[in-house]
Amino acid sequence: MLVPLTLPSYLHLAPRQNSQTNATEQSFIDEPCSKIIAWRAVQPSGSLGAAVGTKFGSVYLFGTPPPGEPTSKTSPPSLSRTRFPTPITLAPSGARPSSPPSSPKSPPHSRRHSGSPSTLSLNQALIKPSARSRVVSGVSHEQVQASKSFVDFEDESERLKDLLRSSAANRQPRERSIVDALLPTFEKGVVIERTPLPPSPFLPPSTLSPASPGSSKGRDDPKSLLSATNSPIFTPRSLSAPPSPHFPTPSDKTDEESIALIAHVLPPRCGVAHAVADLIIPEGTDLLVSLQESGDVSVFDTHDGTCIATAQCRKAPQSQKDTSCWTRLRSIQIEEKGNLILACATYRLPYSELFGLPDSPDEIASKYAHYALFELHVGDPFNIHPTWLESLGNWQVDGFAEGSDMVRNDVDGSLSFIYVNSAYHVISRPLSVVARFEVRARARSAASSTANSAEELWALTIPNPLKSLGTKSTENIASRDVEGTMSEGLAPPNTDLSRLWFGPDQDVGEAVFSSSPRRLRGLCSRYVVARDAVVGLVWTDTEVLIFQFQLDGKALDQSLTHIQPEGVGKILEVQFVDSETFAVLGSIARWYKLIPMDANGDQSDSENARLQPMPAQTISLGTPSAASLINTANGVVTLRHTSAGHKEVSLFTPLEVQDRTYHRLWRSQLATASRQEMGTTLTTVLPLEFNSLIFGYSDGHLRHTSFSALTSQKFLSESPPSSSIPPIEVPLFQNTSNTPIPASIHSLHLIRNERTGDRFIIGGSDDGGITVWSLQDLKLCASFVQFIAPLLYVLQVRQQEEHAGPLRGCALCVSVDGTIAVMAVDGFELLYVLPGASSPLSSIHYGGGEEHDLLMVLYVGGSARLWDIKTGEFRRAMDTDKARDALSASGWFELPIDGRDTRVSRTVSTLANDSATVDSMCTFTIALERFMKLTAVDAKASGNVLVSSVTHSSALTHLRTLLSIVLTPGLSPDIDEVCELKLGIAFSSGGVGHVSLCVEEPRSSGATTLYNYQNVKNAWCVSGAVSASRAIAIITILKTMSLYEDISDDCQTVMTFYATSLQSVVGSHFKAPDVVYLARQWLDASNELRHAARILFDSGVVKFSDEESCALVDAWQHHLPCLQPSADQDSKQSGLALFLCGYMAIEKYSLLSTSALVDISKSISLYLHDDTSSHRALAIDLCAKGFHIWQHYVDSMAMLRALFALATNMRKEQISVQNVGPHARSAVLQTAMQHTALFMTVLTLDILKPRSVAERKSVMQLVAFLIRKRPLILYPHLPRLMEAVVKSLDPNSTASRDAVLDTATEIIGHVVKTFPTIDFHNPTQRLAVGTAEGAFIMYDLKSATQLYVLDGHTHRPTACAFSPDGRRLVTVSLEEGVVRVWKVGASLASALLHPGRPPRQGDMGSKPYKTFPFNVGDEANMTIAGTLEWVRFEWLSDRSVRLRIRESTLSFSA
C-alpha cells in the first residue's frame, strides 16, 4: 500500500519561507492547460463538476465542495455575479481586433539557458511547447460594439457596484415584436439578423438535452454526392432567424453556485510527450476518460479522482511510420453499463514538440490515421465487477484522425464509423462488434474446420446486424494494403479471430473549405430518428461544414452546407446539443438551429430538404483558452487567464430575454509569480531513506534533510509545557552543498564507486549541465555542460559485468533528447558523447563483437545506431527491424533505461521523477508495508524502553513523523490532547493523497491523486476508498506504536476513535471506509496491514443497516467459491466474496437466508480441504469465529478434521507461503473452548479409529499442543482422552504402535506434568487416571489394557501419586477432605484369579488400604486451575509421603 504525503512548507526558502503554500493550486497555475470538460452529475443532486487536462498529462478536478468548506477567497461578494454587456450588434464596417488568449507562463523551475540561439530555441521547446498558431483567415472584420455599461473582467469593484446599482433604474421597457415572441428566453447579447421570417409552420420548441450519440445503419449501393464547390456559404447575415429552441434554466441556483479545486490527478505516466489530448464523460456515467498523446487511456471517478481503469492504445512504435500522436476520444453508449470508446491518432513527426519540430499540415494529410476501439465496462455499486477497459481492436485509414467519429442507430443499434479521408471526402463505414464467446468458439474450431465466409462470421453484440455485406469489394477494409497490423494479442479487423468487422465504404460527399490550410479540428455526428439519417459537423479553425446522409449512403441534399461563424474567432469546439441544435464555441458561444428547407428557402419536411443552420443564441465568452458545453444542462464552462496572472473557471448560462448572467465558478487565489517573487524554489528531490532526503533548489544548491526535520518545526515552537515528551531539536537542513552551480537543478541520481565504496550524486541542471557531488558532505566533485536538453536518466554499469567491455565501471548520462554522455565513475572523467536522434531513446544494448565493445542504441522513431565503445566511433545506422535481428545473436545485453538503479530507496519515493508540477515536487510516496516491517523490528526490540529515552533516529521518531501527517487534528480536542501530550505527536500541515494501483500491471504504481482540502473534515468526505486508505494507515502506525508498553493504552484510545467515532464528529457527509476496499486490502496486504483492515471492516459492518447487510450478501453470494467452476474457485473474486459474506454472516447471522449460509459453509469447507488454495487462512479464520454457524450446514466433524490436519502438518512440501499452521492451531484452540464436547468427540474418535496411522499421529500431536496451551479444556475429558491414547498403543498392531509411540510418550509426559489427577510409574508401566466421579482407573501400557478401577472417593479427586516402588498409590480430594492410600502392587496369582479387580487392600477388602481425613479450611474450595498449580504429592521414602496444598503441608505414612 502506497501513501502519498505532500509537504509544501519548504517549496520556497525565501522570501516566503514561512508562508503556507497551496501546492495544488500553484501547480494548476503553472501548468499549461490543453482541455476542459464540464458536467452535471448523474446523481439526483446534479452537482456541477469540471476537469482540466494539462500539457504535462495530469488532470485537475473541480467539484461542488461539501457544506462548510470555504471556496475561492479572492473573489469579493460584489464579483460573484457580474453583468455582461448589453446585446451585441453587427455593424457592416469596421474591424474588431482579435487578442489571443494569454498563454500560461512556465513553471517556476523552468530552465534557464545560455548559449547559441539554436540552443535557446530548442530548450525553450522542451519545457514550454509552442502553442498552435491562431488561424485568423475567414474571421469576420465587422466591428462588435459593446454598450456603455460594459464591465471588463479586471475592472475595479467600485465601478462595477455603481453599474449594477444603476442598471435596473436605467432599463427602459420596449414593445415586444413577433421575433421576440418566437425567440427563447436568452441572456443579453444574442447575435442575429432580425430579418422577416420565411413562411414556415411553427416549430415546436426543443430543449437542450444530454447528447446521446447516434449511429448509422449500413446499407448496400452507396451513392456519392455531387461536388460541393457550388454549395453556398451561409453566414449569420444571410440567414433569417426562425423560431429558436428553448433553453431551460438549470435546476440549481446558478447565481449561488460555485466549485472548488478538489484534486490533482497524476496518471502513471506524466511529463513531456504525455499531454492530455482529450477528455470525455461517457453517457450515463459519472466517469471521466482521459486520453494522453502517448496513447494512455485512463478512467477516473469524478467524485474522488481515483483511477479505476487504464489501457494503452498501442505499444511502443517499432517502425518509422508508427509515429502517431493520439489526439481525440469519441464515446457512444451501446448498453446500460457499456460504452464504446474510440481513440484517434494522427501522424506526427517523432516527438515534434519535444524537439521543436513544427507539424506540416501537408505532410500530415499524406499520412494515415490510427484508431483504437475499447469497450468501457462500468462496474456495479458493490464493486463485484470493477470498471475496466477491454481492447476490441486497432485499425488505420488514409485520412484525418481529428475528422473521425462513431454513430449509433438508435432504432436498430447498428454502428457506423465516419471519417474524412485524405481527399477530404466524408466516408461512412458500417462497423460491427463480435461477441467474445463467438471469437473463442472460432479459435477452438479453427484447427478442425474450414474458414467460414464473411457472411457466416458477421455477428453483432447489439440487435439487428447489418442486412448484407455482399462480397468484399476493393473498398473493403480487409482488402486494403494501407491497413496496419493490430496490437499484440488482437487480430486485424475482418479476420476469423477479430472482434471488429467493417462493411464497405460509403462516400457521403466532399468536404470543401474556403480557408487554407484545411487542417481539420474535429468531427461530430448524431443520428436523427425522425429523418432516419445521420447529421454531422466537421470543422477547421474558422469554418464549420454540415452534412447529412441516410444509412444506405444516399445523401439527403445535393451539397454540404458550409458556414463561417462571425465573431467566434478561432473555433475551440463544436458540439451537438440535440439532434436539431449545435453550438460553436470560441471567443463567443453561438447556438444554431438546423432547419430543413427546400430550394426556395421555405421550411420543408421533404427527404431531400437541405439543413440550414439558423443562429439562435450568442454569448460572449471573452478570450477563453478552453471551453466546453455542460453535458446535461444548458451552459458553457470556460477556462481563461486573467491579466493579473490568475486562472478562472466561469459558467455562462442563458436565462432571460436580453438578460445574461456570468458566473465565476472558481478563481485561483494565487497568481503566476516571477522567479524573483518566488525566491529559491524546490526543483527536484532524491529520497534515500526516511531520514535522508536530498533536495535540489533553483539556486543551484543541494540540501540534506529528513522527514523528521520537515515536520518538527511546529513542534519546536508549540510543544505544550506540560508534555511528558521532551522537545527534539532538529535543524531544517543537516547539510548544504559548498558551491552552487549557475543553473537550476533539474534531476538527481545516485551512483556508487565500487572500488572505494563511496556514493555520489549526479545531478542534471536546466542548462544541460551534469554535476557530481559527494553524498557524504555534498561537496562538488565535477561539473560538465554537454547537453542542450536536461539530464533524464543515469545508468551505471557495474564493475562485475563481464560482457560490458569498456563500459565497465562507467555511468551513462542520458538527456531528454537521447544524447548519451559516458563518464568514468572513478575520477569522473568524461570519455565521450553519443549524439541523440530526432526521437527519444527506446532501449540500449551493450556487448556484441569479440571484445564486447559495441553499443546499440534504439530510438522511438524506429531508427537505431551502432557505436564502437572502445574507439568512440560511429559504425552504422539502421532501422529497428535490422537492429533487433542483430541483437538476437548471443552476447548482447540490455541496459534498462528507467533509472531504477539510481533510485535507491524502496520505502520512500517521489513523484517528481515523472511530473514537473509543484505539488508533485513536494510529494513523497511511502511504501507503508515495508516501512512498518522496518520500524516494527525496532519497536519490538525496545518495547519495554520508556519513550522519553528514545533517540532522534529511532523507529518511534519515524512513526511519530508519519503519524503527524496522516492524522486529522481538530476533530476531537480530547484525542488531540492524547496525541500531543501522551504520544508526542507534533501535528503537521502536510496532505495525504491516494494511489490507485493499476489492475493490468499490479506491480507498477498507478495514478496518484493529491487532494486540496480546505477543511479538516473534508478529508473524510471524499469517498469510501479514500477514507479506507487513510484509516488503514492511521491504524497500522498506531498498532506498531502500541508495541511500546508505556504508550500502548493511549495508542489503543486513538485507534478506537478513528475506527468507531469518525461519523459522529465529521457529520452527515462522512464517507465510511468502503468494506470492499478493506476486504481487498486484507486479501492482498501483509500482516502489518491486515490487522488494521480487519479492525475497520468489523467496525464498518456493525454500522450496516439490515437492508445494507442483506443487499451486500445477496450481491456477492453468487460469486462464492462453491458456486464457481473448478478453475475459478480459488480466484481473487471468489476469496473476496467469501470474506464479505462470511464475516457478514458471523456478525448478522439471523438476517441471512438458509441458502446463503449453506453456500458460505460449503465454501469454507472447500478451502479447508483444498491443499492448493491461496485462501486457506481466510477459511481457517472464518471457521474459528463462526463454527457455531457452519456446523449446522456442513459436516462439522469433517471441518474439524481439516483444521486438525492443517494445525499439525509439518511436512515441508505442505508448508505454503501463507504458513497457515499457526492460524490453524489458533483456530483449534478457539473451537475447542467454544465447542468442547464436539471437539473431544472428534479428537477421541480420530485417535481410536483413524483413517490412517499418519492421521492418528497428527491428532495426538494436536493433543500434546492442547495440553501445553489450554489444559483446562481437556481436564473434564481426561479419562476419555487417556483411554484413547492407551488403546493406540495396542501391541497387536505393531506398525501403529511404533508410529505413535513417541507421540504417546510425549502426551503422557505432558499430562502427568500438567494434571495432578494422573500419574505414571515407569518401571511397572502403570498409568493411574482420576475421574470426575471420584474413581481412579489403572492402565497397563505394556498390554494397552485397563486393569481395574479404584473407587473410594465421593467427590472430585484432586491429585494422585505412585510410591517410588510402585506398590502404593495415594489419592486426595480437597472437596471431600480426605487422603486415601491404595495397594496397587498385586501378585501374579491375584491377577490370574481375579482379573479386572483391584488388589486386596489388607483386611479392608476392596476399600482403601488407609484413609486420612484433614481440614484445610477455604482451600477445600480451590478452583481446578488452582489445583493444577498448588496441589502436589512429594514422596520422602517408599512409605512416607507429604501433601502440599499451597503453603500448607501434610505428612502421611503409606
Side-chain angles (χ1 to χ4, degrees), residues 301-530:
D301 190 328
T302 58
H303 300 104
D304 58 6
T306 56
C307 181
I308 55 181
T310 59
Q312 178 68 30
C313 289
R314 59 178 173 85
K315 301 292 183 179
Q318 303 297 331
S319 61
Q320 177 64 37
K321 67 179 181 180
D322 192 10
T323 54
S324 301
C325 174
W326 296 86
T327 59
R328 186 172 175 82
L329 279 177
R330 307 303 295 169
S331 171
I332 57 173
Q333 186 175 15
I334 57 174
E335 55 187 21
E336 182 180 358
K337 291 187 177 181
N339 294 74
L340 290 182
I341 307 295
L342 177 66
C344 313
T346 186
Y347 173 82
R348 170 183 288 182
L349 294 175
Y351 290 76
S352 56
E353 287 188 355
L354 179 64
F355 296 98
L357 303 175
D359 295 338
S360 171
D362 296 334
E363 185 177 6
I364 291 174
S366 63
K367 301 298 180 180
Y368 303 124
H370 297 263
Y371 301 92
L373 186 62
F374 301 91
E375 183 174 357
L376 174 63
H377 302 270
V378 181
D380 57 275
F382 296 98
N383 205 16
I384 299 175
H385 301 288
T387 300
W388 64 293
L389 285 167
E390 178 186 8
S391 180
L392 301 180
N394 294 354
W395 71 94
Q396 66 181 30
V397 298
D398 183 8
F400 298 95
E402 294 84 355
S404 308
D405 197 9
M406 283 191 307
V407 68
R408 181 175 182 266
N409 188 326
D410 295 336
V411 177
D412 61 15
S414 59
L415 303 173
S416 290
F417 168 62
I418 303 173
Y419 70 98
V420 179
N421 64 14
S422 59
Y424 287 89
H425 280 255
V426 180
I427 305 298
S428 173
R429 178 181 293 176
L431 168 64
S432 177
V433 180
V434 183
R436 282 192 300 271
F437 71 88
E438 294 191 22
V439 176
R440 296 193 189 103
R442 294 174 193 166
R444 288 192 297 266
S445 61
S448 59
S449 62
T450 59
N452 297 323
S453 63
E455 289 77 11
E456 293 172 340
L457 293 177
W458 186 270
L460 281 172
T461 57
I462 48 183
N464 294 338
L466 298 177
K467 296 179 179 179
S468 175
L469 287 179
T471 59
K472 295 181 181 179
S473 65
T474 57
E475 295 181 348
N476 196 305
I477 183 173
S479 62
R480 293 196 174 203
D481 295 333
V482 300
E483 300 303 331
T485 59
M486 303 293 293
S487 296
E488 294 181 8
L490 297 175
N494 288 26
T495 57
D496 290 350
L497 302 182
S498 172
R499 294 197 60 191
L500 297 182
W501 278 80
F502 291 97
D505 287 352
Q506 302 166 359
D507 193 335
V508 177
E510 184 179 1
V512 179
F513 296 94
S514 62
S515 61
S516 181
R518 299 177 294 174
R519 178 71 180 269
L520 298 185
R521 293 302 181 184
L523 185 150
C524 60
S525 58
R526 293 290 293 266
Y527 175 76
V528 183
V529 177

Side-chain angles (χ1 to χ4, degrees), residues 734-763:
Q734 302 172 13
N735 197 5
T736 302
S737 58
N738 58 344
T739 305
I741 62 175
S744 176
I745 302 175
H746 183 267
S747 62
L748 295 174
H749 309 268
L750 188 71
I751 62 171
R752 182 175 180 269
N753 188 325
E754 297 179 347
R755 184 181 63 83
T756 62
D758 297 331
R759 294 192 296 175
F760 298 90
I761 300 173
I762 295 183

Side-chain angles (χ1 to χ4, degrees), residues 539-595:
W539 65 94
T540 64
D541 286 334
T542 57
E543 300 174 79
V544 180
L545 188 144
I546 306 168
F547 62 88
Q548 61 171 332
F549 63 93
Q550 288 183 336
L551 298 180
D552 58 358
K554 177 184 177 182
L556 299 184
D557 51 22
Q558 298 301 312
S559 62
L560 306 184
T561 306
H562 177 257
I563 61 172
Q564 287 184 325
E566 295 188 12
V568 174
K570 180 180 179 180
I571 297 177
L572 300 177
E573 189 66 43
V574 178
Q575 294 177 257
F576 272 106
V577 178
D578 54 32
S579 58
E580 299 177 350
T581 311
F582 69 92
V584 181
L585 306 181
S587 59
I588 64 173
R590 178 171 293 147
W591 283 264
Y592 290 89
K593 179 77 173 182
L594 294 174
I595 307 297

Side-chain angles (χ1 to χ4, degrees), residues 316-323 350-351 837-842 857-865 877-884:
Q318 303 297 331
S319 61
Q320 177 64 37
K321 67 179 181 180
D322 192 10
T323 54
Y351 290 76
S838 59
S839 61
L841 283 176
S842 174
V857 183
L858 279 68
Y859 297 92
V860 172
S863 62
R865 294 176 179 176
M878 65 191 79
D879 59 22
T880 304
D881 295 335
K882 293 182 179 180
R884 295 194 180 278

Side-chain angles (χ1 to χ4, degrees), residues 579-820:
S579 58
E580 299 177 350
T581 311
F582 69 92
V584 181
L585 306 181
S587 59
I588 64 173
R590 178 171 293 147
W591 283 264
Y592 290 89
K593 179 77 173 182
L594 294 174
I595 307 297
M597 292 186 177
D598 56 21
N600 298 324
D602 299 330
Q603 184 171 341
S604 173
D605 295 331
S606 172
E607 184 182 81
N608 294 323
R610 174 182 297 172
L611 293 179
Q612 296 187 1
M614 307 295 291
Q617 167 77 12
T618 301
I619 299 178
S620 177
L621 303 180
T623 56
S625 58
S628 172
L629 287 177
I630 301 177
N631 63 338
T632 61
N634 181 28
V636 180
V637 172
T638 65
L639 172 69
R640 76 182 192 96
H641 303 79
T642 67
S643 59
H646 298 273
K647 280 189 178 180
E648 184 176 281
V649 179
S650 307
L651 171 65
F652 296 84
T653 307
L655 295 177
E656 302 175 354
V657 176
Q658 297 185 354
D659 184 12
R660 179 177 68 252
T661 304
Y662 150 75
H663 309 277
R664 177 182 293 166
L665 299 176
W666 179 86
R667 186 179 184 181
S668 62
Q669 301 180 24
L670 304 175
T672 304
S674 63
R675 284 184 173 270
Q676 291 74 17
E677 294 173 335
M678 300 184 67
T680 302
T681 306
L682 180 67
T683 54
T684 186
V685 177
L686 176 64
L688 301 178
E689 294 297 340
F690 195 78
N691 59 348
S692 182
L693 307 173
I694 304 298
F695 284 2
Y697 281 88
S698 59
D699 61 355
H701 275 290
L702 288 186
R703 292 172 173 87
H704 187 194
T705 185
S706 65
F707 262 99
S708 301
L710 295 180
T711 59
S712 62
Q713 301 304 306
K714 181 178 178 180
F715 180 61
L716 287 175
S717 59
E718 300 180 8
S719 179
S722 60
S723 173
S724 60
I725 309 299
I728 302 177
E729 295 188 5
V730 183
L732 175 57
F733 294 116
Q734 302 172 13
N735 197 5
T736 302
S737 58
N738 58 344
T739 305
I741 62 175
S744 176
I745 302 175
H746 183 267
S747 62
L748 295 174
H749 309 268
L750 188 71
I751 62 171
R752 182 175 180 269
N753 188 325
E754 297 179 347
R755 184 181 63 83
T756 62
D758 297 331
R759 294 192 296 175
F760 298 90
I761 300 173
I762 295 183
S765 56
D766 60 0
D767 62 353
I770 304 173
T771 308
V772 183
W773 295 272
S774 171
L775 176 62
Q776 182 177 2
D777 54 5
L778 300 185
K779 182 180 179 180
L780 183 65
C781 299
S783 182
F784 315 94
V785 180
Q786 293 294 331
F787 298 149
I788 61 173
L791 178 68
L792 183 61
Y793 297 127
V794 174
L795 317 175
Q796 184 174 5
V797 182
R798 304 296 180 186
Q799 192 71 31
Q800 295 81 3
E801 296 288 343
E802 298 179 356
H803 301 282
L807 288 180
R808 295 173 60 182
C810 293
L812 277 66
C813 302
V814 184
S815 70
V816 174
D817 62 357
T819 304
I820 302 175

Side-chain angles (χ1 to χ4, degrees), residues 269-293:
R269 297 198 298 172
C270 296
V272 180
H274 294 286
V276 174
D278 205 357
L279 297 170
I280 60 170
I281 300 289
E283 185 179 0
T285 70
D286 281 339
L287 303 177
L288 174 67
V289 183
S290 167
L291 173 67
Q292 295 174 258
E293 291 183 354

Side-chain angles (χ1 to χ4, degrees), residues 14 33 50 106 220 337 408 507 558 631 697 742 841 877 885 925 954 1011 1025 1061 1142 1213 1223 1331 1373:
C33 300
S106 301
D220 298 333
K337 291 187 177 181
R408 181 175 182 266
D507 193 335
Q558 298 301 312
N631 63 338
Y697 281 88
L841 283 176
D885 291 340
T925 302
S954 68
Y1011 296 100
S1061 305
E1213 63 271 14
H1223 300 285
T1331 66
S1373 173

